[in-house]
Amino acid sequence: MEKRIKEILALRPSEDTIKAEGWVRTKRDSKNVSFIEINDGSCLKGLQAVLDRSAFPDDLVARITTGCSVSVTGRIVKSEGGSQDIELRAESVEIIGECPADYPLQKKRHTVEFLREKAYLRPRTNLFGAITRVRNTMAYAVHSFFQENGFVYVNTPLISASDCEGAGAQFQVTTLDLENVPKTPDGKVDYSKDFFGKLANLTVSGQLEGETYALAMKDIYTFGPTFRAENSNTTRHLAEFWMIEPEMAFCTLEGDMDCAEKFLKYIFKAVLDKNGEDMAFFSKFVLPGVIENLEHVVSSPFEHMTYTEAVKILEKNNDRFEFPVKWGVEIQSEHERYLTEEVAKRPVIVTDYPKEIKAFYMKMNDDGKTVRAMDVLAPRLGEIIGGSEREYRYDVLLDRMKELGLDPAAYWWYLDLRKYGSVPHAGFGLGFERAVRYVTGVENIRDVIPYPRYVKSCEY
Ligand code: 4AD
Ligand code: MG
């Protein structure tokens, strides 16, 4: 393999001939020399290659344009000018793929909205290169954290016949002819004629299946795509996003919260350790202070409060909220931000929410009103993690499902799990893009996933 630009930039001047391959970001011509900056995505910085004009034909130099791909061989020399220590004195230059003048990424700052429309080219910009490298570091850190702690990676299905969150925001999977849908005698859709012989959807969460593996392997995690047909046009919601869901058997909410805090700190620290150059870029161009912010999160203990305590604090400040708070209502993003940014000045774990606003599978508290839920809220963002201790008592779970009008027959295996060697267990879900957004300081979640899917948008 030829050296990447990142590796070349670490070289010292020498007599050795090396080859640099990449895409031209900029070219500057002077009378005697041309400077081209070559980038290959391996790091933020490009390699400056210097072409002695007398050594190369004019028409070749003219064909080197922003966006073209080149292979340049030469020697590393000390750089005379500017911001770099070394540069490549070109001995031969090959243009691999030319790039005409209608190339959309010309040398200027483009808006993220413009770049979203050019999503197939945006990884060639500084911003999206940096986001992509940070996302990669975080994905690797997710696996490292759980592997180092003895968790088993489990792949749960993407097509599912059960609705984990019971919220109905699912995408249906069907091979039925929508122009000519088969019907049962009483006029309903005849799913027995569909591919799976029943109604199937894209999964909203791997949790339910993950629980079955935790109750065999003790500690497991999933890391895969999830799909939600929520009609939320916000900077925090995607229709397709990646979720990390650990599930731990013989574990209660305390262990769950402890794991969530350690996990978040671990993946944030990995970025601080490995992506210094990219983080400096975000701090300069995206969100000033983002590095100190992250360092603060990594080094301070998360705040804990119950939903009831949180509501007491929020109620006192109801005049500043668009949606006033009282016990029983959902805590919205503005409230989450108030708790983290104004009250605690660090991440907050809120526990014991009213059962009415949480999913059916969460363990009921003795008060009969609240459940052992926990949300991790982060400054600037709001909810980053949602989790809970699970209801592991068969009868209590069955009653709860009936209360909510869920059909126990549809969840037969999930109920059976409580019949055969049930045990307290707990887990949580981290929205991967929310975490990447948080770390980079990038404003819109649509810019931290390569090809965002959201309402009325499925380009590429
Ligand atoms: O809070 P949620 O809905 O919890 C679950 O799905 C549980 N089954 C997790 C578990 O206990 N195993 O989603 C978990 C996280 C949220 O905190 C949020 O970070 C993210 O997933 N999330 C989204 N991210 C992007 N776009 C969306 N539409 C999201 N919905 C949830
Ligand atoms: Mg949630």
Side-chain angles (χ1 to χ4, degrees):
M1 249 193 315
E2 300 295 343
K3 284 192 167 47
R4 298 196 177 86
I5 301 294
K6 184 182 179 179
E7 292 145 8
I8 295 174
L9 286 173
L11 296 175
R12 307 270 42 97
S14 97
E15 293 302 308
D16 300 341
T17 301
I18 62 131
K19 189 200 267 184
E21 296 166 322
W23 293 267
V24 172
R25 283 285 176 87
T26 55
K27 185 176 77 161
R28 273 187 303 124
D29 292 320
S30 71
K31 198 157 148 278
N32 300 322
V33 285
S34 289
F35 299 97
I36 60 174
E37 193 200 326
I38 308 170
N39 186 291
D40 69 352
S42 59
C43 60
L44 191 69
K45 269 218 182 95
L47 171 70
Q48 171 158 291
V50 187
L51 282 62
D52 185 344
R53 296 292 296 264
S54 63
F56 295 94
D58 284 345
D59 67 318
L60 177 103
V61 176
R63 280 165 53 231
I64 303 174
T65 56
T66 298
C68 77
S69 51
V70 290
S71 172
V72 179
T73 47
R75 279 178 307 113
I76 295 295
V77 298
K78 190 171 166 336
S79 180
E80 297 304 329
S83 52
Q84 61 283 323
D85 298 336
I86 56 147
E87 60 193 21
L88 181 65
R89 172 97 23 101
E91 280 151 23
S92 78
V93 175
E94 189 187 346
I95 299 171
I96 316 273
E98 292 188 6
C99 189
D102 64 357
Y103 182 57
L105 306 181
Q106 294 302 329
K107 173 93 188 149
K108 64 169 194 154
R109 256 183 107 180
H110 298 289
T111 65
V112 285
E113 289 78 18
F114 171 83
L115 291 172
R116 220 172 281 148
E117 284 165 23
K118 310 282 180 236
Y120 71 110
L121 291 174
R122 64 181 183 169
R124 294 194 198 176
T125 63
N126 282 339
L127 176 64
F128 286 88
I131 293 170
T132 306
R133 283 184 296 273
V134 165
R135 193 179 159 109
N136 171 63
T137 297
M138 292 174 74
Y140 188 71
V142 164
H143 286 291
S144 306
F145 176 82
F146 288 117
Q147 294 295 330
E148 284 168 15
N149 285 291
F151 285 61
V152 176
Y153 179 41
V154 171
N155 302 120
T156 47
L158 299 191
I159 300 174
S160 169
S162 44
D163 179 0
C164 173
E165 294 307 300
Q170 293 185 293
F171 289 102
Q172 196 173 327
V173 177
T174 183
T175 52
L176 291 179
D177 176 1
L178 296 183
E179 304 288 349
N180 187 16
V181 177
K183 295 280 173 71
T184 59
D186 56 354
K188 299 222 169 84
V189 177
D190 185 0
Y191 285 111
S192 72
K193 302 261 171 22
D194 204 349
F195 187 89
F196 297 108
K198 57 155 85 165
L199 174 66
N201 294 294
L202 291 178
T203 189
V204 295
S205 157
Q207 179 196 322
L208 304 190
E209 294 89 349
E211 283 184 48
T212 68
Y213 269 71
L215 266 66
M217 317 295 293
K218 193 161 169 5
D219 298 320
I220 65 100
Y221 70 105
T222 72
F223 184 5
T226 44
F227 307 88
R228 294 196 186 178
E230 295 162 318
N231 200 345
S232 349
N233 226 324
T234 75
T235 55
R236 314 196 300 160
H237 290 86
L238 290 165
E240 177 182 281
F241 63 100
W242 285 64
M243 187 147 56
I244 297 115
E245 294 186 277
E247 190 72 30
M248 295 160 282
F250 303 93
C251 179
T252 60
L253 197 67
E254 282 65 35
D256 200 30
M257 292 190 288
D258 185 48
C259 178
E261 179 167 345
K262 290 195 172 115
F263 170 56
L264 276 183
K265 287 179 172 172
Y266 183 100
I267 59 174
F268 292 172
K269 185 163 185 307
V271 176
L272 289 170
D273 289 348
K274 293 188 188 168
N275 293 75
E277 193 186 46
D278 295 322
M279 288 308 297
F281 175 85
F282 296 129
S283 184
K284 188 160 174 207
F285 294 107
V286 179
L287 182 72
V290 66
I291 297 176
E292 293 74 16
N293 207 276
L294 218 52
E295 284 168 346
H296 174 64
V297 169
V298 168
S299 61
S300 44
F302 291 6
E303 178 82 43
H304 289 251
M305 62 178 80
T306 64
Y307 170 89
T308 304
E309 288 163 350
V311 166
K312 278 197 190 119
I313 297 171
L314 293 168
E315 267 179 329
K316 288 195 199 117
N317 296 281
N318 262 341
D319 51 332
R320 65 166 74 211
F321 300 131
E322 188 186 344
F323 302 98
V325 177
K326 64 174 197 295
W327 202 92
V329 304
E330 298 248 16
I331 300 184
Q332 314 249 2
S333 154
E334 55 171 341
H335 313 128
E336 295 173 340
R337 294 192 57 171
Y338 182 77
L339 290 173
T340 51
E341 289 167 22
E342 308 290 331
V343 181
K345 302 201 173 1
R346 55 199 162 122
V348 177
I349 308 187
V350 178
T351 60
D352 303 289
Y353 285 76
K355 63 178 182 183
E356 286 78 15
I357 58 172
K358 288 291 176 189
F360 72 96
Y361 51 71
M362 297 188 180
K363 187 180 175 221
M364 189 68 68
N365 278 318
D366 292 341
D367 63 10
K369 285 192 253 170
T370 58
V371 289
R372 293 248 79 189
M374 65 111 176
D375 277 4
V376 181
L377 316 179
R380 308 192 250 113
L381 182 80
E383 179 188 341
I384 187 164
I385 279 181
S388 69
E389 187 173 336
R390 319 306 186 189
E391 185 52 78
Y392 70 100
R393 300 162 295 185
Y394 185 96
D395 296 336
V396 184
L397 181 61
L398 185 63
D399 285 350
R400 185 78 188 117
M401 291 175 76
K402 286 183 185 155
E403 200 180 349
L404 288 168
L406 296 172
D407 177 14
Y411 295 89
W412 64 272
W413 53 271
Y414 190 71
L415 278 159
D416 270 8
L417 196 66
R418 276 73 185 159
K419 208 160 92 188
Y420 304 130
S422 194
V423 63
H425 60 288
F428 63 82
L430 169 70
F432 189 53
E433 285 72 22
R434 291 218 184 151
V436 180
R437 206 194 117 182
Y438 188 68
V439 167
T440 57
V442 165
E443 182 69 29
N444 196 321
I445 199 165
R446 295 170 187 176
D447 297 325
V448 297
I449 187 165
Y451 293 100
R453 271 82 180 90
Y454 48 94
V455 193
K456 298 276 180 289
S457 178
C458 190
E459 286 303 315
Y460 303 98

